[in-house]
Each structure stands twice: as structure tokens, then as C-alpha cells.
Coordinates of all heavy atoms in Angstrom, one line a residue:
P85 N 0.8 -1.2 0.0 CA 0.0 0.0 0.0 C 0.8 1.3 0.0 O 0.4 2.3 -0.5 CB -0.8 -0.1 1.3 CG -0.9 -1.6 1.5 CD 0.4 -2.2 1.1
S86 N 2.1 1.2 0.5 CA 2.9 2.4 0.5 C 3.3 2.8 -0.9 O 3.8 3.9 -1.1 CB 4.1 2.2 1.4 OG 5.0 1.2 0.8
D87 N 3.1 1.9 -1.9 CA 3.5 2.3 -3.3 C 2.3 2.8 -4.0 O 2.4 3.1 -5.2 CB 4.0 1.0 -4.0 CG 5.4 0.7 -3.5 OD1 6.2 1.6 -3.3 OD2 5.8 -0.5 -3.4
Y88 N 1.1 2.8 -3.4 CA -0.1 3.3 -4.2 C 0.1 4.8 -4.6 O -0.2 5.1 -5.8 CB -1.4 3.3 -3.3 CG -1.8 1.9 -2.9 CD1 -2.9 1.7 -2.0 CD2 -1.2 0.7 -3.5 CE1 -3.3 0.4 -1.7 CE2 -1.6 -0.6 -3.2 CZ -2.7 -0.7 -2.3 OH -3.1 -2.0 -1.9
E89 N 0.6 5.6 -3.7 CA 0.8 7.0 -4.1 C 1.8 7.1 -5.3 O 1.6 7.9 -6.2 CB 1.3 7.8 -2.9 CG 1.5 9.3 -3.2 CD 2.0 10.1 -2.0 OE1 2.1 9.5 -0.9 OE2 2.3 11.3 -2.1
G90 N 2.9 6.3 -5.2 CA 3.8 6.4 -6.3 C 3.2 6.0 -7.7 O 3.5 6.5 -8.7
L91 N 2.3 5.0 -7.6 CA 1.6 4.5 -8.8 C 0.7 5.6 -9.4 O 0.7 5.9 -10.6 CB 0.7 3.3 -8.5 CG -0.2 2.9 -9.6 CD1 0.5 2.4 -10.8 CD2 -1.2 1.8 -9.0
L92 N 0.0 6.3 -8.5 CA -0.9 7.4 -9.0 C -0.1 8.6 -9.5 O -0.5 9.2 -10.5 CB -1.8 7.8 -7.8 CG -2.8 6.7 -7.3 CD1 -3.6 7.3 -6.1 CD2 -3.7 6.2 -8.4
V93 N 1.0 8.9 -8.9 CA 1.9 9.9 -9.4 C 2.4 9.5 -10.8 O 2.4 10.4 -11.8 CB 3.1 10.2 -8.5 CG1 4.1 11.1 -9.1 CG2 2.6 10.8 -7.2
E94 N 2.8 8.3 -11.0 CA 3.2 7.8 -12.3 C 2.1 7.9 -13.3 O 2.3 8.4 -14.5 CB 3.7 6.3 -12.2 CG 4.1 5.6 -13.5 CD 5.5 5.9 -13.9 OE1 6.2 6.7 -13.2 OE2 5.9 5.3 -14.9
L95 N 0.9 7.5 -13.0 CA -0.2 7.6 -13.9 C -0.5 9.0 -14.3 O -0.8 9.3 -15.5 CB -1.4 6.9 -13.3 CG -1.4 5.4 -13.1 CD1 -2.6 4.9 -12.4 CD2 -1.1 4.6 -14.4
E96 N -0.4 9.9 -13.3 CA -0.7 11.3 -13.6 C 0.4 11.9 -14.5 O 0.0 12.7 -15.5 CB -0.7 12.1 -12.3 CG -1.0 13.6 -12.4 CD -2.4 13.9 -12.9 OE1 -3.3 13.1 -12.7 OE2 -2.5 15.0 -13.5
A97 N 1.6 11.5 -14.3 CA 2.7 12.1 -15.1 C 2.7 11.5 -16.6 O 3.3 12.2 -17.4 CB 4.0 11.8 -14.4
T98 N 2.1 10.4 -16.8 CA 2.2 9.7 -18.1 C 0.9 9.5 -18.8 O 0.7 8.7 -19.7 CB 2.9 8.4 -18.0 OG1 2.2 7.6 -17.1 CG2 4.4 8.5 -17.5
D99 N -0.1 10.3 -18.3 CA -1.5 10.3 -18.9 C -2.1 8.8 -18.9 O -2.5 8.3 -19.9 CB -1.5 10.8 -20.3 CG -2.9 11.1 -20.8 OD1 -3.8 11.3 -20.0 OD2 -3.1 11.1 -22.1
G100 N -2.0 8.2 -17.7 CA -2.6 6.9 -17.5 C -1.8 5.7 -17.9 O -2.3 4.6 -18.0
C101 N -0.5 5.9 -18.1 CA 0.4 4.9 -18.4 C 1.4 4.6 -17.3 O 1.5 5.4 -16.4 CB 1.2 5.2 -19.7 SG 0.2 5.4 -21.2
T102 N 2.2 3.5 -17.4 CA 3.4 3.3 -16.6 C 4.6 3.1 -17.5 O 4.5 2.6 -18.6 CB 3.2 2.1 -15.7 OG1 3.0 0.9 -16.5 CG2 2.1 2.3 -14.7
T103 N 5.7 3.6 -17.0 CA 6.9 3.5 -17.8 C 7.7 2.3 -17.4 O 7.5 1.7 -16.3 CB 7.8 4.7 -17.5 OG1 8.2 4.8 -16.1 CG2 7.2 6.0 -17.9
L104 N 8.6 1.8 -18.3 CA 9.3 0.6 -18.0 C 10.2 0.7 -16.8 O 10.2 -0.2 -16.0 CB 10.2 0.3 -19.2 CG 11.1 -1.0 -19.1 CD1 10.2 -2.2 -18.9 CD2 11.9 -1.2 -20.4
P105 N 10.9 1.8 -16.5 CA 11.7 1.9 -15.3 C 10.8 1.7 -14.0 O 11.2 1.1 -13.1 CB 12.3 3.3 -15.3 CG 12.4 3.6 -16.8 CD 11.2 3.0 -17.4
F106 N 9.6 2.3 -14.1 CA 8.7 2.1 -12.9 C 8.3 0.6 -12.8 O 8.2 0.1 -11.7 CB 7.4 3.0 -13.1 CG 6.5 2.9 -11.9 CD1 6.7 3.6 -10.8 CD2 5.3 2.1 -12.0 CE1 5.8 3.5 -9.7 CE2 4.4 2.0 -11.0 CZ 4.7 2.7 -9.8
R107 N 7.9 0.0 -13.9 CA 7.5 -1.4 -13.8 C 8.6 -2.3 -13.4 O 8.4 -3.3 -12.6 CB 7.0 -1.8 -15.2 CG 5.7 -1.1 -15.6 CD 5.0 -1.8 -16.8 NE 5.8 -1.9 -18.0 CZ 6.0 -1.0 -18.9 NH1 5.4 0.2 -18.7 NH2 6.8 -1.2 -19.9
K108 N 9.8 -2.0 -13.8 CA 11.0 -2.8 -13.3 C 11.2 -2.6 -11.8 O 11.5 -3.6 -11.1 CB 12.3 -2.3 -14.1 CG 12.3 -2.8 -15.5 CD 13.4 -2.1 -16.3 CE 14.8 -2.5 -15.9 NZ 15.8 -2.0 -16.7
L109 N 11.0 -1.4 -11.3 CA 11.2 -1.2 -9.9 C 10.1 -1.9 -9.1 O 10.4 -2.6 -8.1 CB 11.1 0.3 -9.6 CG 11.1 0.7 -8.1 CD1 12.4 0.4 -7.4 CD2 10.8 2.2 -8.0
M110 N 8.9 -1.9 -9.6 CA 7.8 -2.6 -8.9 C 8.0 -4.1 -9.0 O 7.7 -4.8 -8.0 CB 6.5 -2.2 -9.5 CG 6.0 -0.8 -9.2 SD 5.8 -0.4 -7.5 CE 7.3 0.5 -7.1
A111 N 8.5 -4.6 -10.1 CA 8.8 -6.0 -10.2 C 9.9 -6.5 -9.2 O 9.7 -7.6 -8.6 CB 9.2 -6.4 -11.6
A112 N 10.9 -5.7 -9.1 CA 12.0 -6.0 -8.1 C 11.4 -6.1 -6.7 O 11.7 -7.0 -6.0 CB 13.1 -5.0 -8.2
R113 N 10.6 -5.1 -6.4 CA 10.0 -5.1 -5.0 C 9.0 -6.3 -4.9 O 8.9 -6.9 -3.8 CB 9.2 -3.8 -4.8 CG 10.1 -2.6 -4.6 CD 9.4 -1.3 -4.4 NE 10.3 -0.2 -4.3 CZ 9.9 1.1 -4.2 NH1 8.6 1.4 -4.1 NH2 10.8 2.0 -4.1
A114 N 8.3 -6.7 -5.9 CA 7.4 -7.8 -5.9 C 8.1 -9.1 -5.6 O 7.7 -9.9 -4.8 CB 6.6 -7.9 -7.2
F115 N 9.2 -9.3 -6.3 CA 9.9 -10.6 -6.1 C 10.6 -10.6 -4.7 O 10.7 -11.7 -4.1 CB 11.0 -10.8 -7.2 CG 10.4 -11.3 -8.5 CD1 10.5 -10.6 -9.7 CD2 9.8 -12.6 -8.5 CE1 10.0 -11.2 -10.9 CE2 9.3 -13.1 -9.7 CZ 9.4 -12.4 -10.9
A116 N 11.0 -9.5 -4.3 CA 11.6 -9.4 -2.9 C 10.5 -9.8 -1.9 O 10.7 -10.5 -0.9 CB 12.1 -8.0 -2.6
Q117 N 9.2 -9.3 -2.2 CA 8.1 -9.6 -1.3 C 7.8 -11.1 -1.3 O 7.6 -11.7 -0.2 CB 6.9 -8.8 -1.8 CG 5.6 -9.2 -1.1 CD 5.5 -8.8 0.4 OE1 6.4 -8.0 0.8 NE2 4.6 -9.3 1.1
T118 N 7.7 -11.7 -2.4 CA 7.4 -13.2 -2.4 C 8.5 -14.0 -1.9 O 8.3 -15.0 -1.2 CB 7.0 -13.6 -3.8 OG1 8.1 -13.4 -4.7 CG2 5.8 -13.0 -4.4
A119 N 9.7 -13.5 -2.1 CA 10.9 -14.3 -1.5 C 10.8 -14.2 0.0 O 11.0 -15.2 0.7 CB 12.2 -13.7 -2.0
A120 N 10.6 -13.0 0.6 CA 10.5 -12.9 2.0 C 9.3 -13.7 2.6 O 9.4 -14.3 3.6 CB 10.3 -11.4 2.4
Y121 N 8.2 -13.7 1.8 CA 7.0 -14.4 2.3 C 7.3 -15.9 2.4 O 7.0 -16.5 3.4 CB 5.9 -14.1 1.3 CG 4.5 -14.5 1.8 CD1 3.8 -13.8 2.7 CD2 3.9 -15.6 1.2 CE1 2.5 -14.2 3.2 CE2 2.6 -16.0 1.6 CZ 1.9 -15.3 2.6 OH 0.7 -15.7 3.0
D122 N 7.9 -16.4 1.3 CA 8.2 -17.8 1.3 C 9.2 -18.2 2.4 O 9.2 -19.3 3.0 CB 8.7 -18.3 -0.1 CG 7.6 -18.4 -1.1 OD1 6.4 -18.5 -0.7 OD2 7.9 -18.3 -2.3
S123 N 10.1 -17.2 2.6 CA 11.2 -17.4 3.6 C 10.5 -17.6 5.0 O 10.9 -18.4 5.8 CB 12.1 -16.3 3.6 OG 13.0 -16.3 4.7
M124 N 9.5 -16.7 5.3 CA 8.8 -16.8 6.6 C 8.2 -18.1 6.7 O 8.2 -18.7 7.8 CB 7.8 -15.7 6.7 CG 8.3 -14.3 7.0 SD 6.9 -13.2 7.4 CE 6.2 -13.0 5.7
I125 N 7.5 -18.6 5.7 CA 6.8 -19.9 5.8 C 7.8 -21.0 6.0 O 7.6 -21.9 6.8 CB 6.0 -20.1 4.5 CG1 4.9 -19.0 4.4 CG2 5.4 -21.5 4.4 CD1 4.2 -19.0 3.0
S126 N 8.9 -21.0 5.2 CA 9.9 -22.0 5.4 C 10.5 -22.0 6.8 O 10.8 -23.1 7.4 CB 11.0 -21.9 4.3 OG 11.9 -20.8 4.6
Q127 N 10.7 -20.9 7.3 CA 11.3 -20.8 8.7 C 10.3 -21.3 9.7 O 10.6 -22.0 10.7 CB 11.6 -19.4 9.0 CG 12.9 -18.8 8.3 CD 13.3 -17.4 8.8 OE1 13.3 -17.2 9.9 NE2 13.6 -16.6 7.8

């Protein structure tokens, strides 16, 4: 949820689009999230 504001700023700046750098950043955070989640479960 802390990234919602960044998403809305991105959409505002690009007329409803997202740029590749933004999507890459969000993908990196997403994989870190699932890695940490699976790590908690395995522990």
C-alpha cells in the first residue's frame, strides 16, 4: 500500500500509463516480497 501514491503519481505524469523503469522497480519489489513471504513460511 505504501506504493499506491507512487503509482498514482506515475499515472498522472504519463497520462494513465506506466513507464518501463517504474514497472521494473515494482517487479523487483514484488519478487523481494514473495521471497520474504516464502522465507517466513519455510522458517
Side-chain angles (χ1 to χ4, degrees):
S86 66
D87 286 322
Y88 293 173
E89 182 179 354
L91 170 64
L92 296 179
V93 169
E94 176 82 356
L95 295 176
E96 180 67 26
T98 57
D99 195 23
C101 297
T102 59
T103 60
L104 181 58
F106 180 80
R107 296 195 300 277
K108 288 169 68 175
L109 174 62
M110 292 297 102
R113 291 179 180 175
F115 279 119
Q117 171 68 14
T118 56
Y121 192 76
D122 286 339
S123 171
M124 281 190 291
I125 296 169
S126 73
Q127 289 184 44

